[in-house]
């Protein structure tokens, strides 16, 4: 049986979430190969969108197992979202609510998600922006049997309407100075979850 370094595995959880190219971009990588290793949580195998990686660093003999962070951490009860603008993986503990807060070089102004087990969402709010700021919307969704409508209103009341289905996406919107409002609502009778995070820079 191949020996894996648990310390490397823990570090690899984060690196692995960003994909194979990020792992190779790191310095000190001697070899990296796809692994058929599976992960079982409380006796149940987790479905993985991406394979694990067996990575050997320079000056080391034992390989470290690199795990896709989003799948594993979400199964452990965390909300996970990647802020590409700041190159940062954000983790939110189960049961925690997130209000507007600094996120490295940006400001989180929107965090809407359905409550666990609920097959609907109805959230609204507002935020203040300056001219030419950018709003980056990160949408994580695997809802089934319905759609969610996201309405964004500029300071003049003009509307932008986005229909969200069972797919992840990232949208960027140029803002003007003033108070912006949003409304996110919809039902998905066959289950799933949705999360919309908005960060302005």
């Amino acid at each position: 049986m191949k020996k894996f370094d648990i310390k490397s595995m823990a570090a690899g959880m984060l690196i692995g979430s960003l994909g194979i190219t990020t792992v190779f971009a790191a310095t000190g990588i001697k070899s990296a190969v796809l692994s058929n290793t599976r992960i079982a949580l409380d006796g149940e195998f987790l479905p993985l969108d991406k394979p694990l990686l067996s990575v050997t660093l320079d000056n080391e003999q034992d390989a470290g197992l690199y795990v896709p962070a989003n799948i594993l951490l979400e199964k452990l009860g965390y909300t996970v979202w990647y802020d590409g603008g700041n190159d940062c993986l954000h983790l939110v503990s189960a049961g925690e609510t997130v209000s507007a807060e600094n996120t490295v070089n940006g400001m989180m102004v929107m965090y809407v998600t359905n409550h666990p087990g609920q097959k609907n969402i109805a959230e609204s709010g507002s935020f203040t922006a300056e001219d030419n700021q950018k709003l980056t919307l990160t949408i994580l969704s695997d809802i089934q049997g319905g759609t969610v409508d996201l309405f964004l209103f500029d300071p003049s009341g003009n509307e932008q309407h986005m229909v969200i289905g069972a797919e992840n996406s990232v949208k960027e919107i140029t803002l003007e100075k003033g108070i912006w409002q949003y409304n996110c609502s919809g039902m998905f009778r066959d289950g799933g979850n949705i999360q919309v995070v908005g960060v302005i820079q």
Side-chain angles (χ1 to χ4, degrees):
M1 180 188 295
K2 198 169 197 177
K3 180 182 175 186
F4 289 104
D5 180 356
I6 297 300
K7 196 160 59 172
S8 295
M9 176 180 171
M13 285 167 53
L14 297 182
I15 297 175
S17 73
L18 306 182
I20 297 173
T21 54
T22 303
V23 174
F24 279 102
T27 58
I29 301 293
K30 182 162 49 177
S31 68
V33 296
L34 298 177
S35 172
N36 292 324
T37 302
R38 297 189 294 171
I39 299 176
L41 178 62
D42 296 330
E44 291 188 20
F45 288 109
L46 301 181
L48 300 177
D49 296 332
K50 298 177 182 177
L52 278 58
L53 291 176
S54 174
V55 178
T56 304
L57 302 177
D58 287 340
N59 304 319
E60 291 188 6
Q61 293 184 352
D62 295 329
L65 191 61
Y66 283 62
V67 181
N70 57 331
I71 296 172
L72 184 59
L73 293 171
E74 285 169 4
K75 292 294 184 181
L76 294 174
Y78 289 90
T79 295
V80 182
W81 63 279
Y82 177 63
D83 177 3
N86 295 312
D87 194 20
C88 180
L89 190 71
H90 293 267
L91 308 178
V92 181
S93 301
E96 290 294 316
T97 56
V98 179
S99 57
E101 58 183 36
N102 289 322
T103 59
V104 190
N105 297 318
M107 175 76 73
M108 184 188 295
V109 295
M110 185 188 309
Y111 183 93
V112 297
T113 182
N114 62 298
H115 297 290
Q118 289 190 343
K119 299 178 181 180
N120 68 292
I121 186 170
E123 299 284 346
S124 61
S126 63
F127 60 90
T128 302
E130 299 296 330
D131 281 329
N132 297 316
Q133 283 187 308
K134 301 288 185 183
L135 171 67
T136 301
L137 295 174
T138 302
I139 300 169
L140 304 177
S141 174
D142 61 2
I143 61 173
Q144 301 293 329
T147 59
V148 168
D149 294 301
L150 176 61
F151 295 93
L152 188 64
F153 301 93
D154 69 18
S156 301
N158 299 313
E159 169 193 304
Q160 293 189 48
H161 178 207
M162 288 163 260
V163 178
I164 302 170
E167 69 280 332
N168 298 337
S169 61
V170 176
K171 300 183 185 299
E172 188 175 272
I173 299 167
T174 301
L175 304 175
E176 62 183 72
K177 185 173 182 177
I179 298 175
W180 289 69
Q181 298 182 348
Y182 62 86
N183 179 281
C184 186
S185 61
M187 300 182 67
F188 28 100
R189 62 182 178 275
D190 296 330
N193 293 284
I194 184 169
Q195 175 184 278
V196 181
V197 177
V199 173
I200 59 174
Q201 294 175 307

